[in-house]
Amino acid sequence: MNYKRKVLIIGAGRSTSSLIKYLLNKSEVEKLHLIIGDKSIDTAKKLILKHPNATAIALDIFDIELRRKTIKDADIVISMLPASFHIEIVKDCIKFGKSLVTASYVSDEMMALDKEVKEKGLVFMNEIGLDPGIDHMSAMQVIDRIRDKGGELLLFESFTGGLVAPESDDNLWNYKFTWNPRNVVVAGQGSAAKFIQEGKFKYIPYHKLFRRSEILHIDGYGKFEAIPNRDSLKYRDAYKLHDVLTLYRGTIRRVGFSRAWNIFVQLGMTDDTYVLEDSENMSYRDFTNSFLNYRPYDSVELKLRSYLDIDQDDILWEKLEELDIFNPDKKMGIKNGTPAQLLQKILMDKWTLKEKDKDMIVMLHKFGYKLNGEKKQIESSTVVIGDDQICTAMAKTVGLPVAIATLKILNGEITSPGIQIPISKEVYEPILKELAEIGIRFTEKEVPYLGYNSEQING
Amino acid sequence: MNYKRKVLIIGAGRSTSSLIKYLLNKSEVEKLHLIIGDKSIDTAKKLILKHPNATAIALDIFDIELRRKTIKDADIVISMLPASFHIEIVKDCIKFGKSLVTASYVSDEMMALDKEVKEKGLVFMNEIGLDPGIDHMSAMQVIDRIRDKGGELLLFESFTGGLVAPESDDNLWNYKFTWNPRNVVVAGQGSAAKFIQEGKFKYIPYHKLFRRSEILHIDGYGKFEAIPNRDSLKYRDAYKLHDVLTLYRGTIRRVGFSRAWNIFVQLGMTDDTYVLEDSENMSYRDFTNSFLNYRPYDSVELKLRSYLDIDQDDILWEKLEELDIFNPDKKMGIKNGTPAQLLQKILMDKWTLKEKDKDMIVMLHKFGYKLNGEKKQIESSTVVIGDDQICTAMAKTVGLPVAIATLKILNGEITSPGIQIPISKEVYEPILKELAEIGIRFTEKEVPYLGYNSEQING
């Protein structure tokens, strides 16, 4: 029997390289044929390198007829498009009875279709990338184990970061863009960050976020810092953590990043809500000066230092100079640019990965719990380094769980129907096992229970 | 001839007392009968005190039939409703050929009807309260005079504030609510404040606004401070100030207010975009603590002082204590409250005007110009103190220009048709003259031209 099962992958963006590679490697044994559909057929072609078990097609998802025909023809569908494009694909998958896998957050619109998906016996697995994805699975595995032993959760903290690998880390910020730069520039904006510490709700406004970081240690990789996400309470229901005293989710950076980034926040350079006059002809120096007082007898440098109280021998200052923000000759060249867009331009000059650079994913969970009257704490972490600029750590950690889940749904190993996220044993056990086999594995250690207490108390 | 001309006043809010009083005082001589329409007939009745030349009616502007009948029956219409309610009234006034006066900003929706209004020969005079209103008139009078002499404008700065009168100023903030408290709590939020200083565009984000104040002096009243408005460039077209080097509009407070208010901004207490958990049962102390670190061995006071680096003997600290923000016994009692709503509650305990308290309006303009090769500067200012809690300075300065303009339109002294604001001589000369006669007058003085230069240069 020569029939190959058709896996339709919609969207051939940066995160699909490892996903496609994994499925192609299994394509003979598992009898798979991949259809890679992207608006640009060249992008799709580049990823399959003429492999006999794959076909690249030009697919504009707004071409309804083609979209429906392609989905109807597939055995299972993976959508790697941005979440906002999913809903039409979801409806087609229901119509033609195809299961679906995505790495995106479940929208309310999608959740409303849960009953229909269940009635058709389909599995729509979402949030199965890195964050969300590996974070769900690795956290729930430990949480379930603690609960199975009769333990009661007291604390859950979870941190993730996309960074540059130590061997490619050659700037003062210890940071490069390994994902969408825009998301990094506007990160944390909007309502205050909200979390729970020892039973107390805490709120941090955006302009204070980068001064309220926490210090983290990961064996073998040293010190990191984390700033709180806006959504620390997001999975309280899904993880059943209603009685937990501390609930905190954060984003990881190298120590010192946030303190320096805070300068941009204080100046107003990360604002994306208005455009600057004549932004196209501004120099980097003009841009910086537009947020400072008019004081014609002082230099831009002096004004900035005195405004934000920066010592001239502070390493912070070297970080700012490294980015060339005082350069009077470099022009922005962006029409009607917002401060955030112009800052992104400045940063991309310096923080774009070089050809040989590798990225790094860091994830750390802390679980505090009570078992037989005793308080205990487990820390679980993973560090993943990219292979190269194609199979980056980001592409691997986002794409591999998607690929593994897809094959397991296709093979009937994951069967619970409906709109799902990977928080049940049926899903996370086999996927985490396979991820560990291919090098994405968590290290656990027991530490003394501290509750929320970033530093020891010394009296 | 006994016919009385009917002046319909829609909305009998706080700013209408002086307006109605003025028109009633003239009602015999000018043959006027006022119709005061408000959703609450009792509110309307209270303001006319059974005067024979006035009738109070219950008027819900969403009752289309009654609204149209009432407008059709009037000789001229004044709307003192919030600007968002104006458009239906505007359309009815066009339909029935009635001129209209409002103290509100001209909306784009209203501006689109300019041609129709002109064709019917009607005068729709807007922005003729205090700010906007008296600011337009008093500024344009000086600007036109400078231009008539052949002078060229180099600098225009304009500041307005609603404050408590010196005789009623009995708290450490030198501030009480004399207008809508909510507007004060959320003032300045949104995009950055934008202005021009010596030809350079400057932008200040909200979280820095209250640390970038300017110091002002007004003879006889001492020192004030001003924080920039978001819209300093708003009247650049209307005033024809395209070539001016410095353009700045600001809000006036007593010195030290902004430095203390900044503490609330830094904590995140002025945020109106999300609700706090269980806000109803929070104490004032809980509210303050929710923005601070979890640190169980330190008091809320100590945490706040160390977080924002406040010396314990700083007057700032006394200001915070005066507001009782550390009180563990006072409860919020507001369900699903935003930080801004809860802060407003705390402030209203202390900043509400007492029965005998008087308010004060302060306005200051600075005009820099070049005449016959010489640089000169004029400062023009007014201070208005309220009579009592009914005829407040705010009610007088908002209501009297509206009343005077209404009568002048009715009497054919102001005739230019269309959607207007009071920036032409025909309008501002007679109105400013009459305002001066009843005590709202500007004092002018010449000062050396400094350009934008808050302090003298001492080398």
Side-chain angles (χ1 to χ4, degrees):
Chain A
M1 167 85 170
N2 247 338
Y3 180 73
K4 293 231 167 86
R5 297 174 297 175
K6 286 190 188 146
V7 180
L8 170 62
I9 300 165
I10 305 176
R14 281 194 280 180
S15 55
T16 46
S17 54
S18 301
L19 154 63
I20 290 169
K21 198 171 168 189
Y22 175 94
L23 290 173
L24 284 180
N25 284 342
K26 302 249 175 182
S27 61
E28 279 303 316
V29 175
E30 295 282 355
K31 296 193 183 303
L32 306 175
H33 190 87
L34 311 192
I35 317 290
I36 325 279
D38 195 275
K39 244 170 47 178
S40 147
I41 193 166
D42 291 336
T43 307
K45 274 183 178 163
K46 235 180 263 170
L47 285 166
I48 57 178
L49 299 169
K50 300 188 178 169
H51 195 290
N53 294 334
T55 309
I57 61 167
L59 177 60
D60 177 351
I61 60 152
F62 297 107
D63 178 342
I64 300 172
E65 209 177 318
L66 178 61
R67 186 185 76 217
R68 291 203 175 142
K69 189 186 159 301
T70 314
I71 290 175
K72 193 177 171 187
D73 209 36
D75 290 287
I76 192 165
V77 178
I78 296 170
S79 173
M80 297 302 281
L81 296 173
S84 56
F85 295 116
H86 282 154
I87 195 68
E88 295 305 321
I89 293 167
V90 165
K91 286 177 184 165
D92 290 344
C93 285
I94 294 174
K95 184 172 172 161
F96 300 116
K98 311 298 175 184
S99 284
L100 174 69
V101 183
T102 87
S104 310
Y105 289 106
V106 174
S107 65
D108 293 342
E109 224 179 347
M110 193 194 283
M111 202 60 219
L113 299 169
D114 184 47
K115 205 170 146 247
E116 281 184 67
V117 176
K118 279 205 179 95
E119 279 168 5
K120 289 231 173 181
L122 302 172
V123 183
F124 279 22
M125 181 62 66
N126 303 281
E127 304 191 11
I128 190 149
L130 166 64
D131 171 11
I134 292 178
D135 59 346
H136 286 321
M137 296 191 282
S138 54
M140 283 309 298
Q141 188 177 47
V142 177
I143 290 171
D144 281 343
R145 193 188 336 126
I146 289 168
R147 284 177 177 153
D148 288 348
K149 281 196 277 187
E152 177 202 351
L153 262 293
L154 300 174
L155 170 149
F156 175 60
E157 298 183 60
S158 179
F159 309 91
T160 308
L163 300 166
V164 62
E167 56 261 49
S168 309
D169 182 351
D170 54 14
N171 69 39
L172 290 172
W173 293 72
N174 307 116
Y175 188 79
K176 294 185 186 182
F177 289 127
T178 62
W179 202 238
N180 188 345
R182 182 179 159 75
N183 291 351
V184 176
V185 174
V186 301
Q189 295 187 23
S191 292
K194 177 181 177 182
F195 49 86
I196 316 179
Q197 283 176 331
E198 300 294 331
K200 305 233 185 255
F201 283 92
K202 295 292 181 184
Y203 306 88
I204 306 181
Y206 174 66
H207 62 268
K208 278 290 179 188
L209 209 52
F210 296 90
R211 299 313 300 127
R212 296 275 291 269
S213 53
E214 308 271 323
I215 298 293
L216 307 174
H217 294 267
I218 294 177
D219 293 343
Y221 292 87
K223 256 166 116 175
F224 297 86
E225 65 186 19
I227 57 155
N229 296 349
R230 281 176 61 203
D231 61 345
S232 279
L233 276 59
K234 198 165 182 179
Y235 297 107
R236 211 177 173 194
D237 290 336
Y239 294 8
K240 300 191 176 67
L241 294 173
H242 303 95
D243 298 325
V244 98
L245 292 171
T246 296
L247 198 51
Y248 185 105
R249 297 168 65 90
T251 299
I252 296 176
R253 295 284 180 263
R254 279 292 184 182
V255 174
F257 178 92
S258 299
R259 181 167 173 264
W261 185 262
N262 181 54
I263 301 299
F264 299 143
V265 174
Q266 293 310 311
L267 290 170
M269 285 183 176
T270 61
D271 197 326
D272 201 39
T273 64
Y274 70 95
V275 302
L276 293 159
E277 292 277 333
D278 195 29
S279 62
E280 192 175 12
N281 297 310
M282 269 183 160
S283 68
Y284 288 13
R285 189 177 186 83
D286 291 336
F287 175 64
T288 302
N289 194 25
S290 69
F291 302 103
L292 299 171
N293 275 304
Y294 177 79
R295 229 157 58 196
Y297 299 97
D298 289 342
S299 69
V300 176
E301 288 85 349
L302 190 61
K303 290 193 293 183
L304 198 158
R305 277 209 298 269
S306 77
Y307 184 36
L308 298 179
D309 199 14
I310 304 170
D311 290 327
Q312 63 178 4
D313 50 0
D314 191 327
I315 185 69
L316 196 57
W317 189 251
E318 306 299 319
K319 289 179 187 174
L320 298 178
E321 288 197 323
E322 187 184 72
L323 294 174
D324 233 4
I325 64 168
F326 303 109
N327 192 320
D329 300 317
K330 281 196 192 169
K331 295 283 175 199
M332 288 295 178
I334 295 174
K335 266 190 200 165
N336 297 318
T338 66
Q341 286 164 350
L342 302 188
L343 177 59
Q344 182 180 329
K345 157 105 194 205
I346 292 176
L347 298 175
M348 285 179 77
D349 288 355
K350 303 287 178 175
W351 290 359
T352 300
L353 288 172
K354 282 174 257 165
E355 208 194 318
K356 301 269 174 184
D357 279 349
K358 292 178 183 176
D359 70 331
M360 172 170 75
I361 296 293
V362 181
M363 188 178 285
L364 168 68
H365 306 298
K366 299 182 182 187
F367 310 89
Y369 62 102
K370 204 167 163 179
L371 181 66
N372 304 325
E374 207 183 328
K375 286 181 175 174
K376 291 163 170 282
Q377 188 159 321
I378 291 171
E379 289 189 10
S380 169
S381 66
T382 190
V383 175
V384 180
I385 310 276
D387 302 336
D388 51 45
Q389 286 260 31
I390 304 296
C391 286
T392 61
M394 189 66 91
K396 290 198 284 184
T397 52
V398 173
L400 292 174
V402 171
I404 296 168
T406 303
L407 200 52
K408 288 194 188 300
I409 293 167
L410 204 53
N411 290 342
E413 295 167 54
I414 293 173
T415 55
S416 293
I419 307 288
Q420 303 282 344
I421 66 171
I423 54 173
S424 69
K425 257 180 223 177
E426 176 207 33
V427 177
Y428 67 67
E429 285 291 6
I431 296 178
L432 287 175
K433 189 163 168 278
E434 191 165 340
L435 284 173
E437 284 162 15
I438 53 184
I440 300 174
R441 67 178 68 86
F442 279 79
T443 309
E444 275 182 35
K445 63 175 180 178
E446 293 209 16
V447 297
Y449 179 82
L450 277 177
Y452 171 74
N453 232 329
S454 51
E455 303 295 334
Q456 293 277 0
I457 296 157
N458 289 317
Chain B
M1 163 83 173
N2 246 338
Y3 179 75
K4 294 232 167 83
R5 297 174 297 174
K6 285 191 188 146
V7 180
L8 171 61
I9 300 165
I10 305 177
R14 282 194 279 181
S15 53
T16 45
S17 53
S18 302
L19 154 64
I20 290 170
K21 199 171 165 187
Y22 175 94
L23 290 174
L24 284 180
N25 284 343
K26 303 247 175 184
S27 60
E28 279 304 318
V29 174
E30 295 281 355
K31 297 193 185 301
L32 305 175
H33 190 86
L34 311 192
I35 317 290
I36 324 279
D38 196 276
K39 242 168 52 174
S40 146
I41 192 167
D42 290 337
T43 307
K45 274 184 178 164
K46 237 181 264 170
L47 285 167
I48 58 178
L49 300 168
K50 299 187 179 168
H51 195 290
N53 294 335
T55 309
I57 62 167
L59 177 60
D60 177 351
I61 59 151
F62 297 107
D63 178 344
I64 301 172
E65 209 177 317
L66 178 61
R67 186 187 74 218
R68 293 205 174 142
K69 189 186 160 302
T70 313
I71 290 174
K72 192 177 173 187
D73 209 35
D75 290 287
I76 192 165
V77 179
I78 297 170
S79 174
M80 297 302 280
L81 296 174
S84 55
F85 294 115
H86 282 155
I87 194 70
E88 294 307 321
I89 293 167
V90 165
K91 287 178 184 165
D92 289 344
C93 285
I94 294 174
K95 185 173 173 155
F96 299 114
K98 312 297 177 185
S99 284
L100 173 69
V101 182
T102 86
S104 311
Y105 289 107
V106 174
S107 65
D108 293 342
E109 224 179 346
M110 193 194 284
M111 203 59 221
L113 300 168
D114 184 48
K115 203 169 148 248
E116 281 184 67
V117 176
K118 279 205 180 96
E119 279 167 5
K120 289 230 172 183
L122 302 172
V123 183
F124 280 22
M125 182 61 68
N126 303 281
E127 305 192 10
I128 190 150
L130 167 65
D131 170 13
I134 292 178
D135 58 346
H136 285 320
M137 297 190 282
S138 53
M140 283 309 298
Q141 189 176 45
V142 178
I143 290 172
D144 281 344
R145 194 189 333 128
I146 290 169
R147 285 178 176 153
D148 288 348
K149 280 195 278 187
E152 176 202 353
L153 261 294
L154 300 175
L155 170 148
F156 175 60
E157 299 184 61
S158 179
F159 309 92
T160 308
L163 299 166
V164 62
E167 56 262 52
S168 310
D169 182 351
D170 55 13
N171 69 39
L172 290 173
W173 293 71
N174 307 117
Y175 188 78
K176 295 184 185 182
F177 289 126
T178 62
W179 200 239
N180 188 346
R182 183 180 158 74
N183 292 353
V184 176
V185 174
V186 301
Q189 295 187 23
S191 292
K194 176 180 177 181
F195 49 88
I196 315 179
Q197 283 176 331
E198 299 293 333
K200 304 232 184 254
F201 284 92
K202 296 291 181 183
Y203 306 88
I204 307 181
Y206 173 66
H207 62 267
K208 279 289 179 190
L209 208 53
F210 297 90
R211 300 313 299 125
R212 296 276 291 268
S213 53
E214 307 271 323
I215 298 293
L216 308 173
H217 295 266
I218 294 178
D219 293 343
Y221 292 88
K223 254 167 118 173
F224 296 86
E225 65 186 19
I227 56 155
N229 296 349
R230 283 175 60 200
D231 60 346
S232 278
L233 276 60
K234 199 165 181 175
Y235 297 106
R236 209 178 174 194
D237 290 336
Y239 294 7
K240 299 190 177 68
L241 294 173
H242 303 97
D243 297 325
V244 97
L245 292 172
T246 296
L247 197 50
Y248 185 105
R249 298 169 64 90
T251 300
I252 296 177
R253 296 283 180 263
R254 279 293 183 181
V255 175
F257 179 92
S258 299
R259 182 168 172 263
W261 184 263
N262 181 53
I263 301 299
F264 299 143
V265 174
Q266 293 309 311
L267 289 170
M269 283 182 177
T270 60
D271 197 324
D272 202 38
T273 64
Y274 69 95
V275 301
L276 293 159
E277 291 277 332
D278 196 27
S279 63
E280 191 175 13
N281 297 308
M282 269 183 161
S283 70
Y284 288 14
R285 189 177 187 83
D286 292 335
F287 174 63
T288 302
N289 194 24
S290 68
F291 301 104
L292 299 171
N293 274 305
Y294 176 80
R295 228 158 58 195
Y297 300 97
D298 289 343
S299 69
V300 176
E301 287 84 350
L302 190 61
K303 289 193 294 183
L304 198 157
R305 278 209 298 268
S306 76
Y307 183 36
L308 297 179
D309 200 14
I310 306 171
D311 290 327
Q312 62 178 5
D313 50 0
D314 190 328
I315 186 70
L316 196 57
W317 189 250
E318 307 298 320
K319 288 180 188 174
L320 298 179
E321 287 196 326
E322 186 183 71
L323 294 174
D324 233 4
I325 64 167
F326 302 109
N327 191 319
D329 299 319
K330 280 196 193 169
K331 296 283 174 198
M332 288 296 178
I334 295 173
K335 267 189 200 166
N336 298 319
T338 65
Q341 286 164 349
L342 302 188
L343 177 61
Q344 183 181 330
K345 157 102 198 224
I346 291 176
L347 297 174
M348 286 181 77
D349 289 354
K350 303 285 178 177
W351 288 359
T352 299
L353 289 172
K354 282 175 258 165
E355 210 194 315
K356 302 268 173 187
D357 279 350
K358 291 177 181 175
D359 70 330
M360 171 170 77
I361 296 294
V362 182
M363 189 178 284
L364 168 69
H365 306 297
K366 299 183 181 185
F367 310 88
Y369 62 103
K370 204 167 162 178
L371 181 65
N372 305 326
E374 207 184 326
K375 285 182 178 175
K376 293 167 167 276
Q377 188 158 323
I378 292 172
E379 289 189 9
S380 169
S381 66
T382 188
V383 175
V384 181
I385 309 276
D387 302 335
D388 51 44
Q389 285 262 28
I390 303 298
C391 286
T392 61
M394 188 66 90
K396 289 197 285 184
T397 52
V398 173
L400 292 174
V402 170
I404 295 167
T406 302
L407 200 52
K408 291 197 186 297
I409 293 168
L410 204 54
N411 289 342
E413 295 169 53
I414 294 174
T415 55
S416 293
I419 307 287
Q420 302 282 346
I421 65 171
I423 53 175
S424 69
K425 257 180 222 177
E426 173 207 36
V427 177
Y428 67 66
E429 286 292 5
I431 295 179
L432 286 175
K433 186 163 170 278
E434 189 164 343
L435 284 174
E437 283 161 18
I438 53 184
I440 301 175
R441 68 178 67 87
F442 280 77
T443 308
E444 274 182 36
K445 61 175 182 179
E446 293 209 14
V447 297
Y449 180 82
L450 278 176
Y452 171 76
N453 232 331
S454 51
E455 304 293 336
Q456 293 277 1
I457 295 156
N458 289 317

